[in-house]
C-alpha cells in the first residue's frame, strides 16, 4: 500500500492507495477516530479484485495535518477533487460513509462527470422536492 501526500490550504493531506485498474475513492466519516485506515479491509479487497483503491485521511484525521473545527462538506469535496486531480484521475467510483457520504453525494451532484458510480453508507440526503429531483436518474448498478 502506498501513501500519497497532497498539499492543501489545510496542510498536508495523506491518502492510502493500492492496486491498479478502475479507481475507487473511499471517503470516511467525520468522527475523530475515522481515517483512511477505516477502509483498510476494503482497500485490500478492492486492490485484489483489480481496482485502484484510494482512501484519504481528511484534514484533522489519521496521518493528515491537524485541523481545528469541523470541515464543511464543500471543503471535504475540495480536498477529494484536488487529490483525484493530483493523481490524474478524471472519473472514479466514489464510496462514502456518513460525512464521507455527504461529500460523495455532493461530488456526484456538482461534478457528475467525475463520478462513475456512487455508493453511500449511512449517509442521509436532502429529501425536499428539489433535493429528490437532483437524485433522479443517478441509480446504476454497483461495481
Amino acid at each position: 500500500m502506498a501513501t500519497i501526500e497532497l498539499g492543501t490550504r489545510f496542510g498536508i493531506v495523506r491518502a492510502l492507495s493500492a492496486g491498479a485498474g478502475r479507481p475507487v475513492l473511499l471517503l470516511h466519516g467525520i468522527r475523530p477516530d475515522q481515517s483512511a485506515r477505516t477502509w483498510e479491509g476494503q482497500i485490500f479487497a478492492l486492490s485484489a479484485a483489480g481496482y485502484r483503491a484510494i482512501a484519504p485521511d481528511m484534514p484533522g484525521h489519521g496521518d493528515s495535518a491537524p485541523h481545528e473545527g469541523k470541515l464543511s462538506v464543500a471543503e471535504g469535496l475540495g480536498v477529494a477533487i484536488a487529490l483525484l486531480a493530483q493523481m490524474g484521475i478524471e472519473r472514479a467510483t466514489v464510496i462514502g460513509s456518513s460525512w464521507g457520504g455527504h461529500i460523495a453525494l455532493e461530488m456526484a451532484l456538482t461534478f457528475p462527470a467525475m463520478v462513475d458510480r456512487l455508493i453511500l453508507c449511512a449517509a442521509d440526503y436532502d429529501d425536499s422536492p428539489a433535493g429528490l429531483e437532483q437524485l433522479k436518474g443517478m441509480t446504476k448498478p454497483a461495481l
Side-chain angles (χ1 to χ4, degrees):
M1 194 167 349
T3 301
I4 298 159
E5 289 191 354
L6 171 69
T8 73
R9 67 184 178 110
F10 305 106
I12 297 296
V13 168
R14 290 186 176 84
L16 300 176
S17 179
R22 286 183 19 214
V24 178
L25 178 65
L26 302 152
L27 301 171
H28 64 74
I30 194 72
R31 288 190 343 234
D33 63 336
Q34 298 286 297
S35 71
R37 297 260 176 228
T38 304
W39 296 104
E40 200 164 38
Q42 290 81 8
I43 293 168
F44 287 119
L46 287 164
S47 63
Y51 295 92
R52 181 180 186 186
I54 305 141
D57 282 330
M58 287 297 186
H61 295 264
D63 292 329
S64 287
H67 177 71
E68 293 298 320
K70 182 180 173 185
L71 239 60
S72 71
V73 169
E75 291 169 328
L77 176 60
V79 169
I81 289 172
L83 176 63
L84 292 177
Q86 176 178 306
M87 297 178 74
I89 297 171
E90 296 178 3
R91 189 169 174 82
T93 292
V94 183
I95 303 174
S97 175
S98 187
W99 177 70
H102 292 245
I103 296 169
L105 182 57
E106 190 64 29
M107 182 182 287
L109 293 172
T110 309
F111 303 100
M114 293 185 74
V115 179
D116 184 38
R117 289 173 171 76
L118 174 67
I119 301 170
L120 305 176
C121 311
D124 56 5
Y125 61 93
D126 176 3
D127 63 354
S128 70
L132 292 174
E133 186 64 31
Q134 282 186 305
L135 297 176
K136 282 185 181 175
M138 289 185 63
T139 57
K140 286 185 182 179
L143 301 175

